[in-house]
Amino acid sequence: SELASSKRHAHLAGAGPSQSCTRVHGWLQQPPPDEARAAPLAGPMATRRRGHSPKPSVRRESEMSSDGGGESSDGGGSPSSASAGGATRGLTPEQTKAGESKLAKVLTRLKFGTPMIFAFFLLVWLGHPYMVGLVCLLQTGLFRELVNVRYKPAKERKVPMFRTCQWAMFAVAMVHVYGRVFVKLGLAHSVAHRAPPFMGSIVLKSIKYYRLVSFSAYVAVFIGFVLSLRPGLYKYQIGNAVWTVGVLMLVVWQISGTTELIFSGLVWFMLPCGLVVANDCFAYFCGQAAGKKFIKAPFLALSPNKTWEGFIGGFLCTAVWGWYFAEWISRSQWLVCPQRNMDHFASLDCEPDSVFQVQTIPWPSEDFVVMTFICKPFQLHAAVLAIFASVVAPFGGFFASAIKRAYNIKDFDSLIPGHGGFMDRMDCQFLMLLCTNVHYRTFVQAAETLSHEDLLRIIGAMVPASRETFLGKVLTEYNCTGTCWPA
């Protein structure tokens, strides 16, 4: 340091007075190396020391959305982030447009949607029990996706057996609903008669006590849930329990009548499913072709991409398509014949019901005729259901959109590329299947009369003691001496 100081004094001495003062002044003004490196980090604080007002910092919209400060039209959030339940985070409109084109989305949907359509028709060809199995699989996937919406790993790690309680609630609900339907349709007795003797006796006993079994399982799950409550997590646990009950109402109760529709004839299951799919496709293409060209007013805030042109065009096209679709599927005996047992590969041979035969139908009634239709009554039923599929069923999709916006997710799952999860494809089917079940039981099944096959099925569903009592009363009532009843 002494050598450097002597050199510096010698250098200053060799310079002129003004020049040396200038060099000394500049050397004193230069900040030390540490301060020079820290100067860029000072930012507004350094400016404030010099007496200048700092310029306000402007954050980009993408930065605000990445940390939760902003909300986009699709729910906001970073494209790379994902929720705990497998649902994908929403993208901003700019990110969506830059990420994929409309053509690419359509091609992806066709690529993965076509195999699903072929798989559906394969199950239709296999028969009624396999379609019931498909419905059970869909219900399981729907329940999983909906309960995952509120899943928070940080909290649920502190709650023992909470996910187990949720799935136990689902299992109890499924056993009770399907047990009731199978006993009502006589399918449980069919299983008992076709099973080995030991298994058949177990099935017959379970038929008698299935209500007690369901109730006992419900009580066990309820007590287990109460015992799992933990201090500090009461609100989260109770909220999730209420959410689970609501999900069970959607995916179990609303679809509880689907099994009855399937075994009454596959047409009553294919028709509502086909109408919803057709309306979705027609509304999409009509919206793409004429969206906001005639009606500028927004359709619905929950779904800003929906347009009035798509809604109206989908309604008209679905009504026309449903008329001819109903006529086409009602030609197949395999689809119109009901199945009364649980045979895995049943051969159905029946006389098609009058609802599937061409008739002259006065409208609105025989006493006051405005017009006359020459068609199958099934086509008129399809027209009514097509109106519901076009006007009311889409509100199931709007409800699903509200859930996604509330929890800031784009899709309920990434299971099917281009389609999302089960809930993204089945959101409109809940109301549609419920409506079809109510319509069938009100306007179709009520007009039917019991055939001898129905009576034999009911008699076969009785326990042996009740069957003997019934047959004895029939013989006494009709004074049969062995000639009117086969031995």
Side-chain angles (χ1 to χ4, degrees):
S1 60
E2 293 179 357
L3 180 62
S5 177
S6 61
K7 288 182 178 181
R8 188 181 297 112
H9 285 295
H11 179 70
L12 292 175
S18 60
Q19 189 177 5
S20 61
C21 292
T22 303
R23 289 183 179 179
V24 171
H25 181 69
W27 172 67
L28 292 175
Q29 282 187 337
Q30 291 178 358
D34 294 337
E35 294 182 8
R37 285 193 296 267
L41 302 177
M45 295 299 295
T47 308
R48 193 178 294 113
R49 290 194 191 99
R50 298 188 184 97
H52 300 285
S53 60
K55 295 182 179 180
S57 60
V58 180
R59 299 179 66 191
R60 292 178 296 179
E61 183 181 355
S62 61
E63 296 174 349
M64 295 179 64
S65 62
S66 64
D67 61 7
E71 182 180 356
S72 65
S73 60
D74 285 335
S78 173
S80 61
S81 60
S83 64
T88 55
R89 288 290 180 183
L91 305 178
T92 61
E94 293 77 14
Q95 292 168 339
T96 302
K97 292 179 181 178
E100 56 183 350
S101 64
K102 294 181 180 179
L103 179 60
K105 291 171 63 177
V106 172
L107 292 178
T108 303
R109 288 193 173 192
L110 289 176
K111 178 181 178 181
F112 291 94
T114 304
M116 291 192 296
I117 295 175
F118 280 105
F120 177 80
F121 281 105
L122 175 62
L123 292 176
V124 170
W125 176 76
L126 289 175
H128 303 65
Y130 298 93
M131 294 304 298
V132 175
L134 173 64
V135 173
C136 292
L137 175 64
L138 291 175
Q139 287 176 292
T140 305
L142 290 167
F143 179 80
R144 170 188 166 273
E145 292 176 0
L146 287 173
V147 296
N148 280 343
V149 166
R150 290 175 56 89
Y151 179 68
K152 295 181 181 179
K155 289 189 176 182
E156 299 214 5
R157 279 196 294 265
K158 304 176 184 179
V159 183
M161 304 292 289
F162 188 76
R163 300 284 285 178
T164 305
C165 288
Q166 285 185 316
W167 282 101
M169 293 178 187
F170 174 73
V172 170
M174 292 284 284
V175 168
H176 175 72
V177 167
Y178 279 93
R180 178 174 55 83
V181 173
F182 273 48
V183 171
K184 176 184 176 182
L185 298 179
L187 301 175
H189 289 83
S190 173
V191 173
H193 293 156
R194 286 162 174 76
F198 175 73
M199 294 297 298
S201 62
I202 295 177
V203 173
L204 289 176
K205 290 180 180 179
S206 65
I207 292 173
K208 181 179 180 180
Y209 297 106
Y210 87 93
R211 288 186 177 87
L212 178 62
V213 172
S214 301
F215 174 72
S216 302
Y218 166 74
V219 171
V221 173
F222 182 78
I223 293 175
F225 167 71
V226 174
L227 293 178
S228 70
L229 296 175
R230 290 294 180 268
L233 297 173
Y234 293 148
K235 185 176 181 180
Y236 175 73
Q237 290 181 271
I238 296 297
N240 263 13
V242 174
W243 173 260
T244 304
V245 173
V247 171
L248 292 176
M249 293 286 290
L250 284 175
V251 305
V252 178
W253 178 76
Q254 280 197 118
I255 314 179
S256 61
T258 305
T259 302
E260 186 175 354
L261 289 176
I262 291 174
F263 279 92
S264 297
L266 286 172
V267 287
W268 295 108
F269 179 72
M270 293 184 62
L271 178 64
C273 295
L275 290 175
V276 169
V277 173
N279 179 256
D280 191 17
C281 296
F282 287 133
Y284 175 79
F285 288 113
C286 291
Q288 291 294 320
K292 295 185 179 180
K293 293 183 179 179
F294 302 97
I295 304 175
K296 302 297 183 181
F299 178 71
L300 193 66
L302 285 174
S303 296
N305 293 328
K306 299 289 191 301
T307 62
W308 282 103
E309 290 83 355
F311 182 77
I312 297 173
F315 166 74
L316 297 176
C317 295
T318 304
V320 175
W321 183 86
W323 180 270
Y324 293 101
F325 177 68
E327 197 278 333
W328 177 62
I329 61 176
S330 61
R331 298 177 185 176
S332 172
Q333 192 176 38
W334 176 255
L335 299 180
V336 302
C337 287
Q339 182 170 336
R340 306 299 188 186
N341 51 49
M342 282 295 291
D343 287 348
H344 298 294
F345 299 100
S347 57
L348 303 180
D349 185 13
C350 68
E351 180 68 26
D353 191 77
S354 59
V355 74
F356 303 113
Q357 299 177 5
V358 178
Q359 303 177 22
T360 301
I361 305 172
W363 186 85
S365 65
E366 295 181 356
D367 300 329
F368 181 73
V369 180
V370 176
M371 63 178 62
T372 301
F373 295 95
I374 302 177
C375 62
K376 300 176 181 179
F378 183 63
Q379 291 178 272
L380 294 180
H381 293 301
V384 175
L385 294 175
I387 296 174
F388 188 91
S390 304
V391 178
V392 181
F395 280 84
F398 302 150
F399 177 68
S401 298
I403 295 176
K404 290 191 284 189
R405 290 183 178 277
Y407 291 96
N408 192 25
I409 57 177
K410 182 177 182 292
D411 293 319
F412 284 94
D413 207 338
S414 56
L415 181 65
I416 311 170
H419 295 270
F422 288 128
M423 184 63 185
D424 296 290
R425 294 298 92 202
M426 293 290 296
D427 49 9
C428 299
Q429 297 285 1
F430 299 132
L431 277 174
M432 193 67 229
L433 289 172
L434 178 61
C435 171
T436 306
N437 184 38
V438 173
H439 181 89
Y440 172 79
R441 298 179 67 175
T442 304
F443 299 104
V444 181
Q445 191 180 45
E448 294 179 351
T449 58
L450 288 175
S451 64
H452 68 281
E453 295 180 352
D454 296 326
L455 290 175
L456 291 175
R457 178 172 56 86
I458 295 173
I459 295 172
M462 295 179 176
V463 296
S466 300
R467 187 186 306 121
E468 292 177 3
T469 303
F470 172 76
L471 294 178
K473 289 184 177 181
V474 170
L475 294 175
T476 304
E477 180 70 22
Y478 292 97
N479 298 321
C480 294
T481 59
T483 57
C484 62
W485 196 270

